[in-house]
Amino acid sequence: EHVEKILKGSSAFLRKKAALATIRLLKKEPDLIEHLADRIVALLKDRSHGVVIAGVQAMLDILELDPGYKEEFSKSVPSLVRLLRNFISMSYSPEHDVSGITDPFNQVKIMTLLRVLGKDDSDASEHMNDVLAQVATNTETSKNAGNAILYECVQTIMGTESDSSLRVLAIN
């Protein structure tokens, strides 16, 4: 109850901490998933990068604990695609930048979640095809952060119902 209240609070730092606490709480009390799932999905719309990455991780953990939430979380694919597209096109943001790449940690986590949601789901996979192609072709590979993103992108393309041209791009 207190955690849920803090998740809605005004401090980004506290929202992130509450999201992390939620992850630990759900691992100990999986029955609470039903009560907190909507609140966790709402974290994807947060302006704070830390809150978003904690929300994505919470969704991944919930799917591991209870795969039955996949259908519900699949409704978030358009939001996740939009987030990923924003990270790719985002202008220089020094506080979330690693070697000139905007928030590679968030990009990798989002693609991991997209892979889980796109597995055996052609609608979700189709929704993410364009952004995955963008990531695969526009990521700077001379840096480790870029290689991590590209690796996750290839994993996501191969782990979802991607179209054949995208698979060829991933293989190359």
Side-chain angles (χ1 to χ4, degrees), residues 98-105 107-108 111 135-136 138-154:
V98 176
S99 304
I101 294 170
T102 304
D103 207 342
F105 301 101
Q107 289 190 51
V108 166
M111 282 189 280
V135 172
N138 298 332
T139 300
E140 177 67 50
T141 56
S142 64
K143 311 264 187 336
N144 278 345
N147 285 325
I149 291 169
L150 200 56
Y151 174 79
E152 200 59 44
C153 184
V154 169

Side-chain angles (χ1 to χ4, degrees), residues 37-52:
D38 292 344
R39 193 69 231 136
I40 288 166
V41 171
L43 297 176
L44 298 179
K45 292 175 174 43
D46 204 287
R47 285 191 306 278
S48 165
H49 288 230
V51 175
V52 171

Side-chain angles (χ1 to χ4, degrees), residues 22-144:
T22 301
I23 292 169
R24 293 171 70 178
L25 194 63
L26 294 177
K27 286 182 178 179
K28 288 185 174 147
E29 289 293 330
D31 297 346
L32 293 174
I33 293 173
E34 186 180 339
H35 183 66
L36 292 168
D38 292 344
R39 193 69 231 136
I40 288 166
V41 171
L43 297 176
L44 298 179
K45 292 175 174 43
D46 204 287
R47 285 191 306 278
S48 165
H49 288 230
V51 175
V52 171
I53 200 166
V56 170
Q57 185 60 53
M59 290 173 76
L60 282 165
D61 289 343
I62 287 172
L63 289 168
E64 204 173 287
L65 292 166
D66 186 348
Y69 278 87
K70 183 178 175 187
E71 191 176 326
E72 185 179 332
F73 286 171
S74 288
K75 296 171 191 163
S76 303
V77 168
S79 297
L80 291 163
V81 166
R82 202 172 315 110
L83 265 173
L84 193 54
R85 189 167 279 126
N86 288 344
F87 284 129
I88 299 165
S89 63
M90 196 181 266
S91 57
Y92 183 69
S93 168
E95 68 270 21
H96 302 41
D97 174 89
V98 176
S99 304
I101 294 170
T102 304
D103 207 342
F105 301 101
N106 240 327
Q107 289 190 51
V108 166
K109 276 290 176 208
I110 290 168
M111 282 189 280
T112 304
L113 181 56
L114 285 173
R115 181 173 66 242
V116 171
L117 295 174
K119 185 175 173 25
D120 303 323
D121 184 335
S122 54
D123 288 343
S125 296
E126 191 175 316
H127 219 88
M128 61 185 84
N129 277 343
D130 287 347
V131 77
L132 291 175
Q134 267 185 297
V135 172
T137 54
N138 298 332
T139 300
E140 177 67 50
T141 56
S142 64
K143 311 264 187 336
N144 278 345

